[in-house]
Amino acid sequence: MRKKLLILSAFIISMTVFGQKDELKTAEKAVKSNDFVAALAAINQAEGLIANADQKTKAKFYYLKGKALYQNGSENSDILKVGEAFNQLIDYEKETNSQKYTNELSELLNKLITNVAEKASADYSKAIETKESADYLSAAKKFNQVYALSPRDTSFLDNAALVYYFGEDYETSKELYEKLLELNYTGITTIYVATNKEDGEEITFNDKKAMDLQVKLGIVENPREEAKDSRREFIFKNLAQNYSSLGDNTKALEVIARGRTEFPESYSLLIDEANIYYKLGDNAKFKEKLEEAITINPTDPTLYYNVGVMNMDQKNNAEAIKYFEKAIELKPDYGDAYNNIGAAIIEETKPIINEMNKSLSDFNKYDKLQEQQFEIYRKAIPYYEKAYELDGKSISIIQTLMGLYENLEMTEKLDAIRAVYDELKG
């Protein structure tokens, strides 16, 4: 009985081998006659039989699969599948130390890579001009195809992720950025640059050997190596922006936390974190992150201004004024900061006005309180006037000044600014 089973197993294996070879012969004939539909049908039939095939048969299968998918470079070919098939054959022959088909497919692959990369760059240049999402997405798709054709060129995956974001396909952009992190991609590379002697333009070379040859021939001068910085900080930043754009701010904060663990001094990631808290309505956290950002970048007036605004929201007006004054120190023409100092000063009148409303029958007390109110108005006026000087078309600033001039009976100034108001209102 055991002998019969062994004979039967051998018979099945023989039938499998014949099946493989028959399907591959059919595929080969179809490829030669450019009948790629028939070729792929035969390849699909052989696919399930190929696992236990010998080395020679496997290599031929991968070769024919690649050729059938390539379709002589037809526009209808699925470039992602072509790239996968070509690289599968090249990797297999490298692994088995055989080069029967590698040279042919490598040549086709390099031609395809160059062609798609050029189209991607052209589409991207067009997208920059048109700003149309469809043009960005066309470029992004092609950058992703280049990566599929040449997985070693990870920078094209980085390009695709970024351009998908520009095209507002946040889901695909997110997936590609996650893949870059999984691959531990850094983007750190060395580029070779020299100056063209004829026109003074900078030329970038793929390797030092090519640059040195041009120097030796006297075509270029001033050869140098330049290191590109790591892209990982920007990958965390862009990935978080994708999640935020998709409405998942919790995940965006998780990504930023990962990024800040790797780049603890990243001002850019910190500002993005602050903005997400602001989007979530968590003003306390927003203020906290801005204050932290000031320690990293103490010369940014916008940070001081925003912390001032948060202090105003929390009724810390004296503290708010300090931050607005610091913003003005760094940026003397910061009109909004002048305006907000005026507003913070006027906030001081609220308890006085409340007390005045309770003292309507006590004329002496009311008059004293009103004088305190007017004194505060006088203190606020110079800040509003400076804000008006910097932005003479702001209706809100003009209306505030009109109210202050009227209360303080500053008739001449009131008439002048009312004329401006009437002119702006048409």
mmCIF file of all heavy atoms in Angstrom, residues 78-122:
data_model
loop_
_atom_site.group_PDB
_atom_site.id
_atom_site.type_symbol
_atom_site.label_atom_id
_atom_site.label_comp_id
_atom_site.label_asym_id
_atom_site.label_seq_id
_atom_site.Cartn_x
_atom_site.Cartn_y
_atom_site.Cartn_z
ATOM 1 N N ASP A 78 -0.140 48.281 -15.811
ATOM 2 C CA ASP A 78 -0.206 48.675 -14.399
ATOM 3 C C ASP A 78 1.232 48.772 -13.885
ATOM 4 O O ASP A 78 1.859 47.763 -13.579
ATOM 5 C CB ASP A 78 -1.000 47.638 -13.606
ATOM 6 C CG ASP A 78 -1.240 48.065 -12.156
ATOM 7 O OD1 ASP A 78 -0.372 48.764 -11.591
ATOM 8 O OD2 ASP A 78 -2.281 47.692 -11.597
ATOM 9 N N ILE A 79 1.726 50.010 -13.763
ATOM 10 C CA ILE A 79 3.143 50.209 -13.454
ATOM 11 C C ILE A 79 3.511 49.640 -12.087
ATOM 12 O O ILE A 79 4.611 49.110 -11.902
ATOM 13 C CB ILE A 79 3.489 51.707 -13.545
ATOM 14 C CG1 ILE A 79 3.461 52.133 -15.024
ATOM 15 C CG2 ILE A 79 4.858 52.006 -12.954
ATOM 16 C CD1 ILE A 79 3.688 53.591 -15.265
ATOM 17 N N LEU A 80 2.594 49.724 -11.122
ATOM 18 C CA LEU A 80 2.896 49.181 -9.794
ATOM 19 C C LEU A 80 3.130 47.671 -9.867
ATOM 20 O O LEU A 80 4.055 47.137 -9.253
ATOM 21 C CB LEU A 80 1.761 49.500 -8.820
ATOM 22 C CG LEU A 80 1.510 50.973 -8.522
ATOM 23 C CD1 LEU A 80 0.378 51.139 -7.521
ATOM 24 C CD2 LEU A 80 2.777 51.651 -7.983
ATOM 25 N N LYS A 81 2.293 46.976 -10.653
ATOM 26 C CA LYS A 81 2.452 45.522 -10.801
ATOM 27 C C LYS A 81 3.697 45.186 -11.627
ATOM 28 O O LYS A 81 4.381 44.203 -11.358
ATOM 29 C CB LYS A 81 1.205 44.933 -11.452
ATOM 30 C CG LYS A 81 -0.014 44.923 -10.537
ATOM 31 C CD LYS A 81 -1.211 44.265 -11.213
ATOM 32 C CE LYS A 81 -2.412 44.222 -10.263
ATOM 33 N NZ LYS A 81 -3.601 43.607 -10.901
ATOM 34 N N VAL A 82 3.967 46.023 -12.631
ATOM 35 C CA VAL A 82 5.176 45.811 -13.453
ATOM 36 C C VAL A 82 6.418 45.913 -12.576
ATOM 37 O O VAL A 82 7.317 45.069 -12.631
ATOM 38 C CB VAL A 82 5.243 46.846 -14.601
ATOM 39 C CG1 VAL A 82 6.595 46.749 -15.317
ATOM 40 C CG2 VAL A 82 4.112 46.623 -15.596
ATOM 41 N N GLY A 83 6.469 46.958 -11.769
ATOM 42 C CA GLY A 83 7.619 47.161 -10.890
ATOM 43 C C GLY A 83 7.805 45.996 -9.936
ATOM 44 O O GLY A 83 8.925 45.517 -9.723
ATOM 45 N N GLU A 84 6.693 45.519 -9.370
ATOM 46 C CA GLU A 84 6.756 44.391 -8.440
ATOM 47 C C GLU A 84 7.291 43.143 -9.135
ATOM 48 O O GLU A 84 8.147 42.420 -8.612
ATOM 49 C CB GLU A 84 5.364 44.124 -7.868
ATOM 50 C CG GLU A 84 5.328 43.010 -6.841
ATOM 51 C CD GLU A 84 3.932 42.745 -6.307
ATOM 52 O OE1 GLU A 84 2.981 43.414 -6.764
ATOM 53 O OE2 GLU A 84 3.791 41.870 -5.437
ATOM 54 N N ALA A 85 6.786 42.890 -10.352
ATOM 55 C CA ALA A 85 7.209 41.688 -11.091
ATOM 56 C C ALA A 85 8.672 41.765 -11.522
ATOM 57 O O ALA A 85 9.430 40.799 -11.372
ATOM 58 C CB ALA A 85 6.310 41.505 -12.317
ATOM 59 N N PHE A 86 9.075 42.916 -12.070
ATOM 60 C CA PHE A 86 10.472 43.075 -12.494
ATOM 61 C C PHE A 86 11.421 42.893 -11.313
ATOM 62 O O PHE A 86 12.440 42.203 -11.419
ATOM 63 C CB PHE A 86 10.674 44.458 -13.119
ATOM 64 C CG PHE A 86 10.265 44.567 -14.568
ATOM 65 C CD1 PHE A 86 9.438 43.618 -15.151
ATOM 66 C CD2 PHE A 86 10.704 45.627 -15.348
ATOM 67 C CE1 PHE A 86 9.056 43.711 -16.494
ATOM 68 C CE2 PHE A 86 10.334 45.732 -16.690
ATOM 69 C CZ PHE A 86 9.502 44.779 -17.254
ATOM 70 N N ASN A 87 11.120 43.532 -10.218
ATOM 71 C CA ASN A 87 11.997 43.450 -9.044
ATOM 72 C C ASN A 87 11.998 42.052 -8.429
ATOM 73 O O ASN A 87 13.007 41.623 -7.865
ATOM 74 C CB ASN A 87 11.594 44.492 -8.007
ATOM 75 C CG ASN A 87 12.059 45.891 -8.394
ATOM 76 O OD1 ASN A 87 13.251 46.147 -8.513
ATOM 77 N ND2 ASN A 87 11.123 46.804 -8.610
ATOM 78 N N GLN A 88 10.860 41.362 -8.551
ATOM 79 C CA GLN A 88 10.797 39.983 -8.057
ATOM 80 C C GLN A 88 11.788 39.099 -8.827
ATOM 81 O O GLN A 88 12.507 38.287 -8.233
ATOM 82 C CB GLN A 88 9.366 39.447 -8.228
ATOM 83 C CG GLN A 88 9.101 38.132 -7.506
ATOM 84 C CD GLN A 88 7.632 37.736 -7.577
ATOM 85 O OE1 GLN A 88 6.926 38.067 -8.528
ATOM 86 N NE2 GLN A 88 7.161 37.037 -6.563
ATOM 87 N N LEU A 89 11.819 39.273 -10.149
ATOM 88 C CA LEU A 89 12.764 38.497 -10.973
ATOM 89 C C LEU A 89 14.210 38.864 -10.656
ATOM 90 O O LEU A 89 15.056 37.986 -10.437
ATOM 91 C CB LEU A 89 12.458 38.737 -12.454
ATOM 92 C CG LEU A 89 13.346 38.097 -13.543
ATOM 93 C CD1 LEU A 89 14.615 38.864 -13.821
ATOM 94 C CD2 LEU A 89 13.649 36.638 -13.230
ATOM 95 N N ILE A 90 14.482 40.165 -10.571
ATOM 96 C CA ILE A 90 15.859 40.626 -10.314
ATOM 97 C C ILE A 90 16.339 40.139 -8.953
ATOM 98 O O ILE A 90 17.477 39.652 -8.815
ATOM 99 C CB ILE A 90 15.929 42.173 -10.415
ATOM 100 C CG1 ILE A 90 15.703 42.605 -11.876
ATOM 101 C CG2 ILE A 90 17.272 42.695 -9.908
ATOM 102 C CD1 ILE A 90 15.446 44.091 -12.055
ATOM 103 N N ASP A 91 15.477 40.247 -7.938
ATOM 104 C CA ASP A 91 15.839 39.783 -6.589
ATOM 105 C C ASP A 91 16.059 38.266 -6.571
ATOM 106 O O ASP A 91 16.980 37.769 -5.906
ATOM 107 C CB ASP A 91 14.747 40.170 -5.584
ATOM 108 C CG ASP A 91 14.698 41.668 -5.327
ATOM 109 O OD1 ASP A 91 15.676 42.364 -5.660
ATOM 110 O OD2 ASP A 91 13.674 42.147 -4.795
ATOM 111 N N TYR A 92 15.200 37.541 -7.309
ATOM 112 C CA TYR A 92 15.323 36.074 -7.324
ATOM 113 C C TYR A 92 16.628 35.642 -7.982
ATOM 114 O O TYR A 92 17.337 34.769 -7.474
ATOM 115 C CB TYR A 92 14.125 35.451 -8.047
ATOM 116 C CG TYR A 92 14.184 33.939 -8.074
ATOM 117 C CD1 TYR A 92 13.931 33.197 -6.922
ATOM 118 C CD2 TYR A 92 14.513 33.244 -9.243
ATOM 119 C CE1 TYR A 92 14.005 31.801 -6.924
ATOM 120 C CE2 TYR A 92 14.587 31.862 -9.262
ATOM 121 C CZ TYR A 92 14.329 31.140 -8.099
ATOM 122 O OH TYR A 92 14.404 29.769 -8.095
ATOM 123 N N GLU A 93 16.980 36.264 -9.102
ATOM 124 C CA GLU A 93 18.216 35.872 -9.781
ATOM 125 C C GLU A 93 19.448 36.298 -8.983
ATOM 126 O O GLU A 93 20.482 35.631 -9.042
ATOM 127 C CB GLU A 93 18.250 36.469 -11.192
ATOM 128 C CG GLU A 93 17.256 35.795 -12.132
ATOM 129 C CD GLU A 93 17.636 35.913 -13.602
ATOM 130 O OE1 GLU A 93 18.285 36.918 -13.972
ATOM 131 O OE2 GLU A 93 17.303 34.992 -14.366
ATOM 132 N N LYS A 94 19.316 37.371 -8.244
ATOM 133 C CA LYS A 94 20.427 37.771 -7.372
ATOM 134 C C LYS A 94 20.601 36.745 -6.253
ATOM 135 O O LYS A 94 21.719 36.344 -5.904
ATOM 136 C CB LYS A 94 20.144 39.159 -6.787
ATOM 137 C CG LYS A 94 21.280 39.717 -5.953
ATOM 138 C CD LYS A 94 20.955 41.123 -5.473
ATOM 139 C CE LYS A 94 22.103 41.694 -4.639
ATOM 140 N NZ LYS A 94 21.780 43.059 -4.138
ATOM 141 N N GLU A 95 19.471 36.302 -5.720
ATOM 142 C CA GLU A 95 19.476 35.323 -4.617
ATOM 143 C C GLU A 95 20.035 33.976 -5.089
ATOM 144 O O GLU A 95 20.752 33.295 -4.349
ATOM 145 C CB GLU A 95 18.033 35.148 -4.121
ATOM 146 C CG GLU A 95 17.851 34.131 -3.014
ATOM 147 C CD GLU A 95 16.374 33.894 -2.720
ATOM 148 O OE1 GLU A 95 15.575 34.845 -2.846
ATOM 149 O OE2 GLU A 95 16.028 32.751 -2.375
ATOM 150 N N THR A 96 19.700 33.601 -6.319
ATOM 151 C CA THR A 96 20.140 32.297 -6.839
ATOM 152 C C THR A 96 21.432 32.400 -7.648
ATOM 153 O O THR A 96 21.864 31.417 -8.275
ATOM 154 C CB THR A 96 19.031 31.694 -7.731
ATOM 155 O OG1 THR A 96 18.708 32.629 -8.789
ATOM 156 C CG2 THR A 96 17.792 31.398 -6.921
ATOM 157 N N ASN A 97 22.025 33.595 -7.664
ATOM 158 C CA ASN A 97 23.297 33.827 -8.350
ATOM 159 C C ASN A 97 23.213 33.482 -9.837
ATOM 160 O O ASN A 97 24.101 32.835 -10.414
ATOM 161 C CB ASN A 97 24.414 33.017 -7.680
ATOM 162 C CG ASN A 97 25.793 33.549 -8.030
ATOM 163 O OD1 ASN A 97 25.951 34.738 -8.336
ATOM 164 N ND2 ASN A 97 26.791 32.677 -8.027
ATOM 165 N N SER A 98 22.093 33.931 -10.445
ATOM 166 C CA SER A 98 21.887 33.707 -11.875
ATOM 167 C C SER A 98 21.513 35.033 -12.518
ATOM 168 O O SER A 98 20.823 35.844 -11.919
ATOM 169 C CB SER A 98 20.766 32.687 -12.091
ATOM 170 O OG SER A 98 20.371 32.652 -13.444
ATOM 171 N N GLN A 99 21.969 35.284 -13.734
ATOM 172 C CA GLN A 99 21.709 36.570 -14.384
ATOM 173 C C GLN A 99 21.092 36.385 -15.773
ATOM 174 O O GLN A 99 21.277 37.216 -16.653
ATOM 175 C CB GLN A 99 23.017 37.354 -14.517
ATOM 176 C CG GLN A 99 23.698 37.679 -13.196
ATOM 177 C CD GLN A 99 22.928 38.711 -12.388
ATOM 178 O OE1 GLN A 99 22.523 39.742 -12.910
ATOM 179 N NE2 GLN A 99 22.697 38.417 -11.128
ATOM 180 N N LYS A 100 20.318 35.335 -15.975
ATOM 181 C CA LYS A 100 19.809 35.036 -17.312
ATOM 182 C C LYS A 100 18.898 36.136 -17.863
ATOM 183 O O LYS A 100 18.994 36.524 -19.022
ATOM 184 C CB LYS A 100 19.071 33.694 -17.306
ATOM 185 C CG LYS A 100 18.573 33.302 -18.689
ATOM 186 C CD LYS A 100 18.017 31.895 -18.714
ATOM 187 C CE LYS A 100 17.605 31.516 -20.140
ATOM 188 N NZ LYS A 100 17.073 30.147 -20.221
ATOM 189 N N TYR A 101 17.971 36.611 -17.017
ATOM 190 C CA TYR A 101 16.990 37.589 -17.483
ATOM 191 C C TYR A 101 17.204 38.984 -16.874
ATOM 192 O O TYR A 101 16.569 39.950 -17.303
ATOM 193 C CB TYR A 101 15.571 37.130 -17.129
ATOM 194 C CG TYR A 101 15.191 35.777 -17.673
ATOM 195 C CD1 TYR A 101 15.049 34.672 -16.827
ATOM 196 C CD2 TYR A 101 14.975 35.588 -19.035
ATOM 197 C CE1 TYR A 101 14.692 33.432 -17.319
ATOM 198 C CE2 TYR A 101 14.618 34.343 -19.545
ATOM 199 C CZ TYR A 101 14.479 33.266 -18.674
ATOM 200 O OH TYR A 101 14.127 32.050 -19.179
ATOM 201 N N THR A 102 18.075 39.066 -15.899
ATOM 202 C CA THR A 102 18.223 40.314 -15.140
ATOM 203 C C THR A 102 18.624 41.496 -16.015
ATOM 204 O O THR A 102 18.056 42.580 -15.898
ATOM 205 C CB THR A 102 19.248 40.131 -14.000
ATOM 206 O OG1 THR A 102 18.705 39.239 -13.018
ATOM 207 C CG2 THR A 102 19.555 41.466 -13.322
ATOM 208 N N ASN A 103 19.607 41.291 -16.875
ATOM 209 C CA ASN A 103 20.086 42.416 -17.689
ATOM 210 C C ASN A 103 18.981 43.005 -18.559
ATOM 211 O O ASN A 103 18.830 44.225 -18.665
ATOM 212 C CB ASN A 103 21.266 41.981 -18.552
ATOM 213 C CG ASN A 103 22.506 41.715 -17.729
ATOM 214 O OD1 ASN A 103 22.633 42.203 -16.609
ATOM 215 N ND2 ASN A 103 23.427 40.928 -18.270
ATOM 216 N N GLU A 104 18.199 42.127 -19.187
ATOM 217 C CA GLU A 104 17.117 42.600 -20.058
ATOM 218 C C GLU A 104 16.070 43.387 -19.265
ATOM 219 O O GLU A 104 15.684 44.497 -19.650
ATOM 220 C CB GLU A 104 16.446 41.421 -20.767
ATOM 221 C CG GLU A 104 15.303 41.868 -21.695
ATOM 222 C CD GLU A 104 14.544 40.693 -22.308
ATOM 223 O OE1 GLU A 104 15.065 39.549 -22.264
ATOM 224 O OE2 GLU A 104 13.436 40.911 -22.819
ATOM 225 N N LEU A 105 15.630 42.809 -18.141
ATOM 226 C CA LEU A 105 14.581 43.487 -17.362
ATOM 227 C C LEU A 105 15.116 44.718 -16.644
ATOM 228 O O LEU A 105 14.383 45.692 -16.463
ATOM 229 C CB LEU A 105 13.947 42.524 -16.354
ATOM 230 C CG LEU A 105 13.081 41.404 -16.936
ATOM 231 C CD1 LEU A 105 12.169 40.816 -15.856
ATOM 232 C CD2 LEU A 105 12.230 41.871 -18.107
ATOM 233 N N SER A 106 16.385 44.697 -16.259
ATOM 234 C CA SER A 106 16.984 45.875 -15.619
ATOM 235 C C SER A 106 17.010 47.047 -16.590
ATOM 236 O O SER A 106 16.737 48.195 -16.215
ATOM 237 C CB SER A 106 18.399 45.569 -15.136
ATOM 238 O OG SER A 106 18.377 44.667 -14.060
ATOM 239 N N GLU A 107 17.330 46.754 -17.837
ATOM 240 C CA GLU A 107 17.358 47.812 -18.866
ATOM 241 C C GLU A 107 15.956 48.393 -19.071
ATOM 242 O O GLU A 107 15.769 49.613 -19.133
ATOM 243 C CB GLU A 107 17.886 47.241 -20.179
ATOM 244 C CG GLU A 107 18.119 48.303 -21.245
ATOM 245 C CD GLU A 107 18.742 47.724 -22.511
ATOM 246 O OE1 GLU A 107 19.445 46.694 -22.413
ATOM 247 O OE2 GLU A 107 18.498 48.299 -23.582
ATOM 248 N N LEU A 108 14.950 47.506 -19.172
ATOM 249 C CA LEU A 108 13.562 47.969 -19.321
ATOM 250 C C LEU A 108 13.116 48.747 -18.087
ATOM 251 O O LEU A 108 12.426 49.767 -18.187
ATOM 252 C CB LEU A 108 12.626 46.776 -19.534
ATOM 253 C CG LEU A 108 12.741 46.024 -20.861
ATOM 254 C CD1 LEU A 108 11.802 44.822 -20.862
ATOM 255 C CD2 LEU A 108 12.425 46.946 -22.036
ATOM 256 N N LEU A 109 13.535 48.253 -16.911
ATOM 257 C CA LEU A 109 13.148 48.888 -15.653
ATOM 258 C C LEU A 109 13.735 50.294 -15.553
ATOM 259 O O LEU A 109 13.030 51.252 -15.198
ATOM 260 C CB LEU A 109 13.612 48.028 -14.476
ATOM 261 C CG LEU A 109 13.202 48.484 -13.075
ATOM 262 C CD1 LEU A 109 11.689 48.530 -12.942
ATOM 263 C CD2 LEU A 109 13.789 47.554 -12.018
ATOM 264 N N ASN A 110 15.004 50.434 -15.871
ATOM 265 C CA ASN A 110 15.646 51.754 -15.802
ATOM 266 C C ASN A 110 15.003 52.740 -16.774
ATOM 267 O O ASN A 110 14.815 53.924 -16.457
ATOM 268 C CB ASN A 110 17.142 51.634 -16.089
ATOM 269 C CG ASN A 110 17.890 50.949 -14.964
ATOM 270 O OD1 ASN A 110 17.457 50.996 -13.818
ATOM 271 N ND2 ASN A 110 19.003 50.302 -15.292
ATOM 272 N N LYS A 111 14.663 52.245 -17.957
ATOM 273 C CA LYS A 111 13.984 53.086 -18.948
ATOM 274 C C LYS A 111 12.628 53.535 -18.417
ATOM 275 O O LYS A 111 12.235 54.708 -18.555
ATOM 276 C CB LYS A 111 13.820 52.284 -20.244
ATOM 277 C CG LYS A 111 13.163 53.054 -21.373
ATOM 278 C CD LYS A 111 13.063 52.174 -22.628
ATOM 279 C CE LYS A 111 12.339 52.911 -23.750
ATOM 280 N NZ LYS A 111 12.194 52.051 -24.962
ATOM 281 N N LEU A 112 11.917 52.599 -17.793
ATOM 282 C CA LEU A 112 10.594 52.902 -17.251
ATOM 283 C C LEU A 112 10.694 53.896 -16.094
ATOM 284 O O LEU A 112 9.895 54.838 -15.987
ATOM 285 C CB LEU A 112 9.941 51.594 -16.777
ATOM 286 C CG LEU A 112 8.428 51.597 -16.534
ATOM 287 C CD1 LEU A 112 7.678 52.083 -17.755
ATOM 288 C CD2 LEU A 112 7.967 50.197 -16.142
ATOM 289 N N ILE A 113 11.693 53.692 -15.231
ATOM 290 C CA ILE A 113 11.898 54.593 -14.091
ATOM 291 C C ILE A 113 12.145 56.018 -14.582
ATOM 292 O O ILE A 113 11.539 56.977 -14.092
ATOM 293 C CB ILE A 113 13.080 54.109 -13.221
ATOM 294 C CG1 ILE A 113 12.701 52.833 -12.471
ATOM 295 C CG2 ILE A 113 13.502 55.197 -12.231
ATOM 296 C CD1 ILE A 113 13.879 52.143 -11.802
ATOM 297 N N THR A 114 13.033 56.156 -15.550
ATOM 298 C CA THR A 114 13.358 57.483 -16.090
ATOM 299 C C THR A 114 12.128 58.139 -16.694
ATOM 300 O O THR A 114 11.848 59.325 -16.453
ATOM 301 C CB THR A 114 14.461 57.372 -17.159
ATOM 302 O OG1 THR A 114 15.623 56.788 -16.559
ATOM 303 C CG2 THR A 114 14.814 58.726 -17.720
ATOM 304 N N ASN A 115 11.369 57.364 -17.459
ATOM 305 C CA ASN A 115 10.179 57.877 -18.131
ATOM 306 C C ASN A 115 9.130 58.362 -17.130
ATOM 307 O O ASN A 115 8.607 59.478 -17.238
ATOM 308 C CB ASN A 115 9.593 56.779 -19.029
ATOM 309 C CG ASN A 115 8.410 57.259 -19.836
ATOM 310 O OD1 ASN A 115 8.382 58.393 -20.293
ATOM 311 N ND2 ASN A 115 7.432 56.400 -20.022
ATOM 312 N N VAL A 116 8.851 57.538 -16.121
ATOM 313 C CA VAL A 116 7.818 57.892 -15.135
ATOM 314 C C VAL A 116 8.286 59.050 -14.251
ATOM 315 O O VAL A 116 7.505 59.942 -13.920
ATOM 316 C CB VAL A 116 7.434 56.663 -14.274
ATOM 317 C CG1 VAL A 116 6.378 57.047 -13.234
ATOM 318 C CG2 VAL A 116 6.901 55.542 -15.153
ATOM 319 N N ALA A 117 9.569 59.043 -13.891
ATOM 320 C CA ALA A 117 10.111 60.130 -13.057
ATOM 321 C C ALA A 117 10.013 61.469 -13.783
ATOM 322 O O ALA A 117 9.675 62.497 -13.173
ATOM 323 C CB ALA A 117 11.558 59.836 -12.681
ATOM 324 N N GLU A 118 10.297 61.482 -15.072
ATOM 325 C CA GLU A 118 10.196 62.720 -15.854
ATOM 326 C C GLU A 118 8.749 63.206 -15.919
ATOM 327 O O GLU A 118 8.472 64.403 -15.799
ATOM 328 C CB GLU A 118 10.744 62.493 -17.269
ATOM 329 C CG GLU A 118 12.267 62.395 -17.310
ATOM 330 C CD GLU A 118 12.792 62.051 -18.693
ATOM 331 O OE1 GLU A 118 11.964 61.768 -19.596
ATOM 332 O OE2 GLU A 118 14.035 62.053 -18.874
ATOM 333 N N LYS A 119 7.820 62.269 -16.099
ATOM 334 C CA LYS A 119 6.397 62.627 -16.138
ATOM 335 C C LYS A 119 5.937 63.155 -14.779
ATOM 336 O O LYS A 119 5.142 64.104 -14.703
ATOM 337 C CB LYS A 119 5.555 61.420 -16.544
ATOM 338 C CG LYS A 119 5.691 61.035 -18.003
ATOM 339 C CD LYS A 119 4.821 59.829 -18.334
ATOM 340 C CE LYS A 119 4.929 59.451 -19.810
ATOM 341 N NZ LYS A 119 4.111 58.251 -20.132
ATOM 342 N N ALA A 120 6.428 62.540 -13.706
ATOM 343 C CA ALA A 120 6.070 62.994 -12.361
ATOM 344 C C ALA A 120 6.535 64.425 -12.130
ATOM 345 O O ALA A 120 5.791 65.264 -11.614
ATOM 346 C CB ALA A 120 6.675 62.062 -11.308
ATOM 347 N N SER A 121 7.775 64.717 -12.510
ATOM 348 C CA SER A 121 8.323 66.065 -12.347
ATOM 349 C C SER A 121 7.548 67.085 -13.182
ATOM 350 O O SER A 121 7.263 68.196 -12.724
ATOM 351 C CB SER A 121 9.803 66.088 -12.738
ATOM 352 O OG SER A 121 10.551 65.260 -11.883
ATOM 353 N N ALA A 122 7.174 66.692 -14.402
ATOM 354 C CA ALA A 122 6.412 67.594 -15.278
ATOM 355 C C ALA A 122 5.034 67.872 -14.690
ATOM 356 O O ALA A 122 4.562 69.018 -14.683
ATOM 357 C CB ALA A 122 6.284 66.982 -16.669
#
